[in-house]
Amino acid sequence: MYAVTYLINNIACLVILSVLFHRKNSSLNHGTGARLFQSLIVAVMFYVLLDLLAGLQENDAIILSHTMTGLLNILFFDASYLVSYLAFLYGEYQIESGILSNAKKTALVSIPLILLLFITPLTLRYHFFFYIDEGGNYVKGPLYAVLLLGAYGYIMAMGIRALYKGTKKKNYVLHDRITSLSTFVIFPLLAGFLQAMFTGISIICLGGTIALIQESLSSLDAMITTDSLTHINNRTTLVQYLDRMIAESHNGDSHCRKIFLLWMDMDNFKQLNDTLGHLEGDRALIQFANVLKLTADGYNSLIARYGGDEFCALLKVSDETEKDRFIEELNRNMKKPDIVDPKYHLSTSIGCVEYDTTIQNIPDFLRIADHELYRIKKEKKAGLS
């Protein structure tokens, strides 16, 4: 009976994962995150296949030699380490930790994986993690808990680091990513706990498959709400957030914080495009977005690209001085050569409007901010003439 359950569950997971991989592979997105996710799907498929063989063998549906049983269990745990490691890297990419862009940090976090891959085969001889007895049965060793830590450690580390990152970076997008990553962590861990309790049936593969499906759906949501060039929020997210904010304010849920909308555009952007070309113009937009992300770190804020060279920042602050500090940091960061290439000469004009309940709808709020930006730009031109 359990053998049939293993067969049905794992084959169903393999079919679902194959479809998911095909969809991801056929998409136009071939960036780092997409490649990591595809690698993770392949690793999970390999794990599911090994789990299927182990389940059938455990339930006496297939008979393996003593050597093949040992090899199967070694490969099974190696696959679990690899899945956990790839999930960690994917999580680090999503929370923009910078580990993947630093070769030394990437090598450092790979050390536990390398050690586990090297040490685990030795357990068949020294029996510290597990061993296969004369009857071909799987027996846990005294350091079995260390084996489980290796199998789930990277995933748990990913969850902890995402939550820690969330306490430092309070913008709206990262909260959505943390929510997505938390379910990405919870499903495999919960399935692993249930699998340990009910060893005769296949549970953990279902948990991993559900986690990948959920993360894939979250990625689709992110594509809808994220600007494809700068990878910050787009106009859709800004409008959704404004709608929620206005509803909270009218319901008296603003928690006595001031709300400012900063409407920005890049000075002399048309001239930059005309002199350096549109590709350089795109790079300048990306660098400006990176400045916004850096500046928003530590503020209760949402940043978005509205369109073209127009960007927005929504700030929920305790007083106006906090808003002024944000603007000062933004201007200061644009002058740092390690952040922005000096050839772009980046600067911005900012129209700033404080929200109050007399503003009844989103178009009015955006229009007021746009008019304030126009006034600021007009004053700048008058000052130069």
Side-chain angles (χ1 to χ4, degrees), residues 2-18 44-56 59 76 195 200-207 209:
Y2 284 151
V4 175
T5 302
Y6 250 97
L7 191 64
I8 294 173
N9 286 353
N10 288 44
I11 289 179
C13 288
L14 285 171
V15 170
I16 293 170
L17 291 170
S18 298
V44 173
M45 290 175 68
F46 182 55
Y47 177 87
V48 171
L49 181 61
L50 292 171
D51 182 63
L52 172 60
L53 294 175
L56 293 177
N59 289 283
F76 176 81
Q195 183 75 75
I201 57 177
S202 177
I203 300 174
I204 193 167
C205 292
L206 290 174
T209 302

Side-chain angles (χ1 to χ4, degrees), residues 87-222:
F88 173 81
L89 292 184
Y90 178 76
E92 291 298 307
Y93 174 81
Q94 290 297 319
I95 64 174
E96 302 174 2
S97 69
I99 283 181
L100 289 174
S101 60
N102 187 309
K104 289 184 178 179
K105 289 183 178 180
T106 304
L108 187 64
V109 300
S110 302
I111 291 175
L113 172 67
I114 295 170
L115 288 175
L116 285 167
L117 291 175
F118 176 76
I119 293 173
T120 301
L122 300 177
T123 192
L124 294 179
R125 179 173 182 180
Y126 298 105
H127 300 179
F128 43 81
F129 287 160
F130 66 87
Y131 62 95
I132 309 300
D133 65 15
E134 294 300 325
N137 300 307
Y138 173 86
V139 182
K140 297 176 182 178
L143 298 181
Y144 184 73
V146 177
L147 186 72
L148 293 180
L149 181 62
Y152 295 104
Y154 278 114
I155 292 179
M156 291 187 292
M158 178 187 73
I160 293 170
R161 282 179 57 80
L163 290 174
Y164 173 72
K165 186 77 171 179
T167 62
K168 294 181 64 181
K169 195 174 180 115
K170 303 179 178 65
N171 63 59
Y172 179 69
V173 168
L174 196 58
H175 280 303
D176 283 352
R177 290 181 182 178
I178 288 171
T179 301
S180 174
L181 289 173
S182 65
T183 54
F184 193 56
V185 171
I186 289 170
F187 280 124
L189 291 180
L190 179 61
F193 174 75
L194 293 174
Q195 183 75 75
M197 294 179 61
F198 306 100
T199 56
I201 57 177
S202 177
I203 300 174
I204 193 167
C205 292
L206 290 174
T209 302
I210 292 171
L212 289 173
I213 293 172
Q214 184 274 332
E215 182 60 25
S216 182
L217 293 174
S218 297
S219 297
L220 288 175
D221 288 341

Side-chain angles (χ1 to χ4, degrees), residues 28 50 102 133 165 318 326 337 373 376:
L28 297 177
L50 292 171
N102 187 309
D133 65 15
K165 186 77 171 179
S318 56
F326 177 92
L373 172 62
I376 295 295

Side-chain angles (χ1 to χ4, degrees), residues 287-357:
Q287 292 196 11
F288 184 74
N290 290 337
V291 170
L292 273 177
K293 285 193 286 187
L294 175 67
T295 308
D297 192 3
Y299 290 88
N300 191 344
S301 63
L302 176 136
I303 57 173
R305 182 187 179 199
Y306 193 77
D309 65 327
E310 292 183 319
F311 293 80
C312 297
L314 267 172
L315 301 177
K316 285 187 178 182
V317 295
S318 56
D319 53 48
E320 194 163 343
T321 59
E322 195 174 350
K323 177 264 296 182
D324 293 337
R325 189 168 71 250
F326 177 92
I327 295 175
E328 290 172 3
E329 290 182 17
L330 177 65
N331 288 319
R332 189 163 57 248
N333 287 333
M334 277 189 290
K335 305 302 179 186
K336 294 181 178 180
D338 58 326
I339 302 173
V340 175
D341 193 324
K343 71 180 179 183
Y344 296 132
H345 304 289
L346 282 192
S347 64
T348 183
S349 298
I350 303 175
C352 181
V353 178
E354 181 179 358
Y355 175 78
D356 63 66
T357 53

